[in-house]
Amino acid sequence: MSDRLVIEFDKALRTLFVPATTAREVPGSKHAEAQLSDDERNHAAALMRVNHVGEVCAQALYQGQALTCRNPELRDALQQAASEETEHLAWTERRLVELRGRKSLLNPLWYIGALTIGIGAGKLGDPWSLGFLAETERQVEAHLDHHLSDLPWQDRKSRAIVEQMRVDEISHAATAVRLGARELPAAARLGMQLASRTMTRTAYYV
């Protein structure tokens, strides 16, 4: 148990304080940097900060769900999804640097909150945990759709990252459904939407 706690604590520290790595090429890396006004660059950086926060939360969420998961196949699927989310973390972090932006100052708070939610979802049982995962990914997909419409059209680097993230999130939701996700009650889905809006609006500035 002590070894497991050390491993999980190490994951948290790496997510929050160590630059993430990616096995895949960063989407859009071959595109030339767009000519953006200061307002456009600041806006794009703020949107990518929001996306980076989402990936920090995804790491914590998957970690919490894997800790309470009862099914080895499901645990493997969660770990695979977490690996892809780590790549998203690396992509958004790199793009933030390129846009001269910064990470959210509240990342530790976002991480702890998402970890708690992940553990709570896992304790409800694997079908409900999967349902929570599937709904989370659907809401992330909608959120990324909004960013694609809101990013400066000429910022091809940022747009390529968001587009690939969207493809991956759709795949994660489909995997959760395949593994037996239950549909969450409408009240739960609404609560998740409200929490997500609070997080995104705060992370845009902080």
Side-chain angles (χ1 to χ4, degrees):
M1 177 62 72
S2 60
D3 288 345
R4 183 71 180 275
L5 290 175
V6 169
I7 291 171
E8 299 304 327
F9 185 63
D10 180 68
K11 288 181 182 178
L13 292 178
R14 288 180 181 276
T15 298
L16 293 171
F17 302 113
V18 178
T21 59
T22 176
R24 289 182 286 176
E25 182 179 17
V26 179
S29 59
K30 295 181 180 178
H31 294 318
E33 190 64 63
Q35 294 298 316
L36 302 173
S37 67
D38 287 344
D39 286 345
E40 289 173 330
R41 179 178 53 78
N42 291 336
H43 180 56
L47 293 179
M48 295 309 288
R49 176 166 55 250
V50 170
N51 290 329
H52 183 268
V53 166
E55 299 308 324
V56 168
C57 291
Q59 289 296 307
L61 184 65
Y62 281 120
Q63 182 182 4
Q65 289 180 293
L67 280 170
T68 51
C69 180
R70 299 165 177 80
N71 184 324
E73 181 186 5
L74 173 55
R75 190 179 300 112
D76 290 343
L78 290 170
Q79 291 172 346
Q80 175 59 37
S83 177
E84 291 182 355
E85 299 289 359
T86 300
E87 294 187 317
H88 297 175
L89 192 69
W91 301 346
T92 53
E93 186 174 293
R94 172 171 166 172
R95 189 62 186 142
L96 269 173
V97 172
E98 293 172 346
L99 291 166
R100 302 197 296 277
R102 59 165 176 77
K103 301 177 186 177
S104 171
L105 302 176
L106 302 178
N107 273 347
L109 179 62
W110 303 131
Y111 190 95
I112 292 171
L115 180 65
T116 302
I117 292 171
I119 291 173
K123 285 186 174 295
L124 293 175
D126 291 342
W128 288 114
S129 180
L130 285 167
F132 180 81
L133 173 58
E135 180 59 28
T136 297
E137 299 294 18
R138 293 187 192 108
Q139 292 191 16
V140 170
E141 178 191 351
H143 157 83
L144 295 176
D145 283 338
H146 173 70
H147 277 202
L148 285 172
S149 67
D150 207 25
L151 279 166
W153 65 268
Q154 70 272 38
D155 186 2
R156 297 173 65 194
K157 283 179 171 286
S158 296
R159 297 180 70 85
I161 289 172
V162 173
E163 286 168 356
Q164 185 58 53
M165 288 169 57
R166 180 180 179 278
V167 170
D168 292 342
E169 307 301 1
I170 291 172
S171 175
H172 297 165
T175 297
V177 171
R178 176 178 59 81
L179 292 174
R182 285 186 181 176
E183 186 73 18
L184 297 186
R189 297 197 302 271
L190 177 59
M192 292 170 65
Q193 290 174 355
L194 294 174
S196 176
R197 288 174 189 170
T198 300
M199 183 273 285
T200 54
R201 290 173 181 172
T202 304
Y204 184 90
Y205 298 102
V206 190

